[in-house]
Amino acid sequence: MKEEYLSIVERAVKTSNADQCEARLSGMSWGLTRFANNYIHQNVVEDNAELTVRSVFGKKIGKAQTNQLDPESIAEVVRRADGIARVQTEIPDFVSLPAPESIPSVKGFYKETAEVEPEARALVVKAAVDQAETLGIESVSGTHYTGKEEIAVANSLGIEAYFEGTVSCFKINTCLEQGTGTAQSFSRNHRDLNPEALTEKACQKALKSRKTEPASPGSYQVILEEQAVCEMLVYLAMMTFGAQPYLEGRSAFSGHLGDQVADSSVSLWDDGLDERGFPFPFDAEGVPKQRVNLIERGLAGNVVYDSFYAAKAGTQNTGHSVDMPFGAGPFSANVFMGEGTSSLEDLISECENAILVTRFHYINPMHRLKTVITGMTRDGTFLVKNGEIVRGLKNMRFTQSVLDALSTVQGIGNNLGILRMEYAKATVCAPALRIGEFTFTGSTLF
Amino acid sequence: MEDLDTIVAAAIKKGADYCDVRFVVNREEDIRVRGRDPEKVSSKIDQGYGVRVLMKGAWGFAAGQDPEQTAARAVKVARGSVLAKKEDVKLSDLTPYTDSWKAPIKKDPFSVPMEEKLSLLLDCGKTLIEHEDVKVAQATMRIRSQEKWFLSSEGATIHQDTTFCGAGISATVVKGGDMQKRSYPTSFDGNFSQQGYEFVEALSLYDHCEETAREAIQLVDAEPCPSGTMDIVLDSSQLALQVHESCGHPTELDRVLGFEASYAGTSFLTQEKLGHYTYGSPSVTIVADSTTPGGLGTFGYDDEGVKACRTVLVDKGIFSGYLTSRETAYQMGEKSNGAMRATDFNFMPIIRMTNINLMPGDYAFEELLEDIQEGIYMQTNRSWSIDDRRINFQFGCEIGYKITDGELTDMVKNPSYTALTPEFWGACDAVSKDWQLWGVPNCGKGEPSQTMFVGHGAAPARFRNMKTGVG
């Protein structure tokens, strides 16, 4: 499909009468199987591709999209983008669309993953349900998806970029006598998912969390499993690591690059080429993704840029343009946190009185500049006493500054978990953490 | 419509017991101004087929551009579902309608010149950013139309044409290590309605710039919201989101039945509670109404062809109804009340909110305040979070005012409150008569994630002894 994708974006660019023009074709061909109450209740496949054209007249910019890819529709969407640009007012900080740079190659496509059929996904689900039922689990739910994404970008300055990658996920929730458990994995290669091990893990969680007791709100030592850390870091990335909030003074990094913002054991970076995540070699403008050190041994490192904000700040474009429905500027879509040397069992065994959190639910920012977020625990919250899990806890609400939490890191796990948000094409890979102070502000009834 | 007939016939021929198909054409404009400059001015047009089949009691869905190929793929997917089937999916009965429905609009927002729309937002952006302390000024407008054809193997043939639009402004101040934001008419890009451009004009965005900027600036120096237990009054836009999170989602029957257990979660409003559980005080009546004029959840028929209707969810405090689909209603021995909606052609319909409305009371706003000795009035949502059964929640608002001896007094920043849903609604002892309809175009649910547009009517209301100032 490479030739077809590139021919469409090149045709769009050539059709435009604008001073500069960019075309991006982003497609997805995938199948997603959802299961609940031990059967498949939603099972979908989708083929769709969207062509986005950005036309530039001087400093005036217009944008138009379509998912109709015949020559007439391509001409129409270009006319629409050109027309919008002509009636725009100038954007003084705009300099130019980006110029071409060499794009590194990265492996992100696995033929077998692209070709998984609905029947194969259904059999994976059936096996997981059978496995869980054998362990006495009452209710099993989750999602299994496989497929491929394609993107081509061209612009009138000579950018010509194409990437084809596969996507896959298996996540499972289990429920027994009000106890719930969860496990999930995401990979470009569906052979890496290991649904059997994930099902076993989720079942064991549910079995352990059947009987729960409430815990009082307050500040606790916590062990956050990989999924919980990934979920927390998504919000840190959103609030802190983009050039837009940074330049506008809305990021905790604004005016603080080089300052100590986390414990010296903490390092975070963005790397679109690391194959442990969801590698993607270029951004929405066709610019190669640079590795950016976000937090380096506890010090605020850098933020990520696209062409507009790099020109505005007079700095290097790091290749982090995204095309989201809202205007949030560049985004760190491939975040990694450096792993440590401890197993999860080690992290637990070194706690006298702590709370073990499997994952969070419904996180939302409370104060972005201070990186304060709130959310609930979910699917396995446990009290740890003298290095042992002693009982399940009712789920708790936390209200906590992420950077404050990262400033009290006491131990880092040796295994990287992964969280992929398909709608945002963003991935976070992070280890489990033992954190000295974490504030719970409430609890719920289950 | 002929090709839709062909799709349905092809799916049935390939073994489907039931098939419905939607052909959807969307048109959208998104205009965003940041400070003095345009940030994004875009136009989107897309279309496609979504085919849903039920075969041997199991679902299959496919979306694409080629009608026959899409139908064949839907059947193939259903064959996969059959492999992991426990029991046959059954659908509640339905009258198959042949009809056409169009939401009334006066002034087509797409016909208003782009220059005019952009000029309005630029004027707002410039006015907001001229205030020295305002670091970020935003003015946004979004317009969307959706034309949809629906055909089913049961004989339904429905055409619908809807348009919504809306706009908003906001000012963000960053100063002295603090950051405060104020929005008009509400946060997250303003308010939206299934009306024409007359709705945007009536918002009078420009006239509210000065007040919006001034409040954002004042907030930085305001006292923090006091922590404690006190009476609170919430404005209607905050209550709209409160209704959304603590009543709309937990009354979705698919959640109750566990369909969303692995993702969005389930619900505390389990089936045995229907008809007698005390959800709130007698002041609280909440309805699902897909016929509310101007609501973002208003339509002629849902995406199963069920006619729009009104359902009481909470009747004077008693939990009394769910949002249902044909599949889930069958499990209750009832007929669907028409809440199956898909964001676009490429999504399988799932149960979504329509317009979930808190019904107005008899109180004037001043009467809500008058017997409060010490309390907080909170306006405009800033943050929301609720557990996966929709019990424990915490909301933050943009701005608050102390209520002292029945009067609004000092401004407070970072107002927030937290409670358990039944306790919260149980503590509601007065609802104002100042009812307003809010459009929420960003409700997320399902996998793949679907962003739905829903409506909420609400009026300011009073809640006794709430925990405030958390976090």
Side-chain angles (χ1 to χ4, degrees), chain A residues 4 12 16 84 103 109 143 159 201 207 231 236 271 417:
Chain A
E4 187 185 346
S16 174
I84 291 170
I103 293 171
F109 183 80
T143 299
I159 280 181
K201 183 178 174 187
L207 290 164
E231 289 162 340
L236 181 65
D271 188 353

Side-chain angles (χ1 to χ4, degrees), chain B residues 109-126:
Chain B
F110 291 104
S111 70
V112 177
M114 181 65 82
E115 297 95 312
E116 183 180 329
K117 292 179 275 200
L118 185 58
S119 173
L120 167 66
L121 300 184
L122 284 168
D123 286 346
C124 292
K126 284 172 192 164

Side-chain angles (χ1 to χ4, degrees), chain A residues 120-386:
Chain A
R121 280 194 302 278
L123 290 174
V124 168
V125 169
K126 186 173 188 312
V129 169
D130 289 348
Q131 183 184 343
E133 286 179 343
T134 303
L135 291 167
I137 296 296
E138 292 165 357
S139 177
V140 185
S141 60
T143 299
H144 180 32
Y145 69 75
T146 54
K148 70 170 182 175
E149 58 179 354
E150 279 181 279
I151 185 166
V153 184
N155 77 17
S156 52
L157 279 72
I159 280 181
E160 190 178 281
Y162 173 84
F163 178 74
E164 182 180 38
T166 41
V167 298
S168 71
C169 161
F170 182 83
K171 54 182 170 180
I172 183 166
N173 264 51
T174 50
C175 182
L176 174 64
E177 297 167 13
Q178 297 290 310
T180 58
T182 188
Q184 62 178 25
S185 188
F186 303 81
S187 176
R188 288 231 178 261
N189 183 355
H190 81 291
R191 296 285 181 204
D192 293 339
L193 293 176
N194 202 348
E196 189 178 342
L198 294 169
T199 302
E200 173 68 22
K201 183 178 174 187
C203 292
Q204 293 307 324
K205 283 272 184 196
L207 290 164
K208 283 181 192 166
S209 63
R210 275 176 292 177
K211 290 182 181 170
T212 58
E213 293 181 15
S216 301
S219 179
Y220 285 85
Q221 185 183 40
V222 292
I223 305 105
L224 305 183
E225 290 196 15
E226 296 90 340
Q227 187 175 343
V229 177
C230 289
E231 289 162 340
M232 187 172 74
L233 294 181
V234 168
Y235 285 85
L236 181 65
M238 192 173 75
M239 297 184 288
T240 309
F241 298 150
Q244 186 193 72
Y246 172 73
L247 294 172
E248 292 174 345
R250 297 185 294 116
S251 161
F253 281 10
S254 300
H256 294 289
L257 291 186
D259 290 358
Q260 187 89 36
V261 292
D263 184 80
S264 59
S265 62
V266 173
S267 288
L268 275 83
W269 63 92
D270 186 282
D271 188 353
L273 303 181
D274 192 327
E275 293 179 7
R276 294 176 298 171
F278 266 61
F280 205 109
F282 55 87
D283 71 0
E285 296 181 305
V287 174
K289 291 189 174 188
Q290 308 294 319
R291 178 182 157 125
V292 175
N293 288 324
L294 305 163
I295 295 177
E296 203 167 4
R297 295 190 201 92
L299 306 179
N302 202 354
V303 295
V304 298
Y305 290 88
D306 59 10
S307 67
F308 177 80
Y309 282 98
K312 186 170 179 160
T315 190
Q316 187 197 357
N317 183 355
T318 61
H320 286 84
S321 171
V322 290
D323 188 22
M324 295 293 283
F326 46 88
F331 183 66
S332 49
N334 300 87
V335 171
F336 288 82
M337 182 173 190
E339 61 266 56
T341 54
S342 304
S343 67
L344 180 64
E345 291 70 29
D346 293 338
L347 294 176
I348 294 169
S349 70
E350 291 160 12
C351 293
E352 227 174 85
N353 179 28
I355 292 175
L356 170 66
V357 177
T358 300
R359 64 170 290 200
F360 292 125
H361 174 79
Y362 220 143
I363 297 175
N364 233 323
M366 292 286 285
H367 198 296
R368 290 166 182 257
L369 189 60
K370 297 175 182 173
T371 70
V372 177
I373 58 175
T374 188
M376 295 294 299
T377 66
R378 184 177 166 181
D379 298 328
T381 306
F382 303 95
L383 181 66
V384 174
K385 287 272 190 191
N386 301 319

Side-chain angles (χ1 to χ4, degrees), chain A residues 34 37 43 46-47 65 67-68 80 88 117 143 171 178 248 362 364-365 367 378 397 443-444, chain B residues 34 41 43 47 73 76 81 135 178 245 257 260-261 263 346 383-385 387 389 392 447:
Chain A
R34 288 187 94 189
N37 300 325
N43 204 357
E46 177 193 0
D47 280 305
Q65 292 172 291
N67 69 345
Q68 301 303 294
R80 207 155 17 103
Q88 270 263 34
E117 294 284 354
T143 299
K171 54 182 170 180
Q178 297 290 310
E248 292 174 345
Y362 220 143
N364 233 323
H367 198 296
R378 184 177 166 181
R397 170 166 299 287
S443 62
T444 191
Chain B
R34 200 171 192 88
V41 184
S43 156
Q47 64 183 53
R73 294 193 75 199
K76 187 174 173 57
S81 302
K135 198 75 179 176
D178 194 10
E245 300 291 1
L257 296 174
E260 295 289 330
Y263 188 58
N346 51 340
S383 173
W384 65 98
S385 175
D387 72 41
R389 293 184 198 171
N392 176 303
E447 292 180 292

Side-chain angles (χ1 to χ4, degrees), chain A residues 38-40 126, chain B residues 55-58 80-89:
Chain A
N38 304 8
Y39 75 98
I40 294 170
K126 186 173 188 312
Chain B
M55 191 172 83
K56 296 180 182 172
S81 302
V82 170
L83 297 175
K85 188 178 74 173
K86 293 283 185 188
E87 292 176 11
D88 285 359
V89 170

Side-chain angles (χ1 to χ4, degrees), chain B residues 234-452:
Chain B
L234 300 175
D235 81 331
S236 68
S237 71
Q238 171 58 27
L239 268 169
L241 195 67
Q242 179 78 53
V243 167
H244 180 100
E245 300 291 1
S246 65
C247 182
H249 280 306
T251 53
E252 294 163 346
L253 189 51
D254 56 347
R255 286 186 68 118
V256 176
L257 296 174
F259 289 9
E260 295 289 330
S262 72
Y263 188 58
T266 58
S267 171
F268 74 101
L269 292 174
T270 43
Q271 291 176 77
E272 78 282 359
K273 292 176 177 156
L274 185 64
H276 62 85
Y277 177 74
T278 303
Y279 172 90
S281 76
S283 301
V284 178
T285 293
I286 301 175
V287 303
D289 190 350
S290 48
T291 68
T292 306
L296 256 56
T298 298
F299 45 75
Y301 300 84
D302 78 350
D303 286 331
E304 291 190 304
V306 177
K307 197 171 179 60
C309 64
R310 182 180 190 271
T311 301
V312 179
L313 303 177
V314 177
D315 188 8
K316 297 185 179 69
I318 302 301
F319 165 52
S320 51
Y322 287 118
L323 296 159
T324 67
S325 62
R326 293 182 69 189
E327 180 183 356
T328 57
Y330 181 87
Q331 295 182 38
M332 297 273 292
E334 295 179 0
K335 286 190 175 181
S336 168
N337 58 21
M340 281 290 265
R341 307 175 70 194
T343 299
D344 207 339
F345 74 90
N346 51 340
F347 293 103
M348 186 168 170
I350 55 177
I351 292 180
R352 302 309 298 255
M353 286 175 237
T354 55
N355 304 298
I356 311 301
N357 303 330
L358 172 67
M359 300 312 288
D362 300 326
Y363 288 75
F365 177 74
E366 294 73 20
E367 291 175 316
L368 297 179
L369 308 179
E370 65 187 15
D371 76 339
I372 296 178
Q373 289 182 321
E374 185 189 4
I376 304 287
Y377 171 52
M378 302 187 196
Q379 290 178 285
T380 318
N381 182 263
R382 186 169 85 169
S383 173
W384 65 98
S385 175
I386 190 164
D387 72 41
D388 58 286
R389 293 184 198 171
R390 301 275 151 177
I391 302 172
N392 176 303
F393 64 79
Q394 182 165 305
F395 285 95
C397 291
E398 286 188 350
I399 191 167
Y401 291 91
K402 286 183 181 173
I403 305 167
T404 308
D405 297 330
E407 300 283 341
L408 292 181
T409 57
D410 299 336
M411 179 187 289
V412 296
K413 66 182 173 185
N414 306 330
S416 64
Y417 61 99
T418 185
L420 305 181
T421 295
E423 291 175 4
F424 172 81
W425 287 110
C428 177
D429 71 344
V431 180
S432 161
K433 55 191 172 189
D434 302 328
W435 193 85
Q436 185 175 351
L437 188 60
W438 298 92
V440 177
N442 61 347
C443 174
K445 185 181 173 184
E447 292 180 292
S449 180
Q450 299 194 45
T451 303
M452 184 50 77

Side-chain angles (χ1 to χ4, degrees), chain B residues 66-82:
Chain B
D66 182 303
E68 285 187 29
Q69 196 179 64
T70 305
R73 294 193 75 199
V75 172
K76 187 174 173 57
V77 172
R79 283 204 182 95
S81 302
V82 170

